[in-house]
Amino acid sequence: MNITVRNVRESDFEQLLELFREFSVFEQLPDKMTNSVKKMKDEKTFFHCFVAETAGGKIVGYASWFFCYYTWTGKSLYLDDLYIQPEYRSRGIGTDLIRRVIEKAKENGCRKVRWQVSKWNRPAIDFYRKIGAEINDVEQNCDLTVP
């Protein structure tokens, strides 16, 4: 199967929104998914993403990211989500997407790439360790919804 990894386009937003919904269900948090195509269009200057697309134009995975700054290390890249539809997993697509994110970080002089993984997601943990990621139990998520 021929898969192309490329930068996101605004015309991808509808397909991506469906993948976001899928991912929220996979993460067992569908009630947390509140994004919309309109919101994505309104906020597109903040949205950075690579998509994995079939030759037929179907987006089967994505890696969303943003630049951030950590006081201890400096400029970094945060991988927000990496998701591949189940039927397309174990084909190297996740590796291609994360490599693209790492390349972006290097091109921009980032000191590190950071992301989170759910403690129950053993396949993802194994994948991340295989590519050299250090996974610890030191920090926990803190979310505050701004009304």
Side-chain angles (χ1 to χ4, degrees):
M1 171 165 289
N2 188 19
I3 301 288
T4 302
V5 173
R6 62 168 175 78
N7 286 315
V8 69
R9 299 180 196 127
E10 190 172 329
S11 59
D12 299 328
F13 288 0
E14 219 167 292
Q15 279 191 78
L16 278 173
L17 192 68
E18 290 306 313
L19 289 180
F20 297 169
R21 284 189 186 107
E22 259 183 53
F23 187 44
S24 73
V25 171
F26 175 79
E27 285 289 319
Q28 304 167 20
L29 297 166
D31 56 313
K32 299 288 184 187
M33 172 55 191
T34 62
N35 208 349
S36 68
V37 171
K38 181 185 179 334
K39 206 182 289 187
M40 291 174 73
K41 287 180 179 180
D42 291 347
E43 300 169 348
K44 66 184 171 192
T45 58
F46 298 98
F47 181 56
H48 306 287
C49 185
F50 296 117
V51 298
E53 180 181 49
T54 67
K58 179 182 179 191
I59 296 174
V60 299
Y62 68 92
S64 58
W65 55 271
F66 56 88
F67 291 111
C68 57
Y69 191 88
Y70 291 106
T71 55
W72 292 2
T73 56
K75 185 178 180 182
S76 301
L77 189 147
Y78 191 88
L79 173 63
D80 183 47
D81 286 335
L82 174 66
Y83 180 71
I84 312 297
Q85 288 184 307
E87 61 270 27
Y88 292 92
R89 292 180 189 156
S90 299
R91 298 182 186 194
I93 298 169
T95 301
D96 290 347
L97 282 165
I98 203 160
R99 279 189 184 143
R100 192 71 179 269
V101 168
I102 293 165
E103 285 172 22
K104 181 58 102 174
K106 287 179 181 178
E107 289 168 7
N108 286 275
C110 294
R111 305 283 184 261
K112 71 176 172 181
V113 176
R114 176 177 269 182
W115 65 93
Q116 298 166 320
V117 62
S118 297
K119 289 182 180 185
W120 56 263
N121 193 345
R122 194 84 239 156
I125 291 168
D126 293 343
F127 169 70
Y128 295 142
R129 282 198 171 121
K130 185 178 173 184
I131 64 166
E134 177 186 325
I135 300 171
N136 64 52
D137 288 327
V138 175
E139 298 168 352
Q140 294 184 16
N141 293 331
C142 297
D143 290 327
L144 176 67
T145 302
V146 180

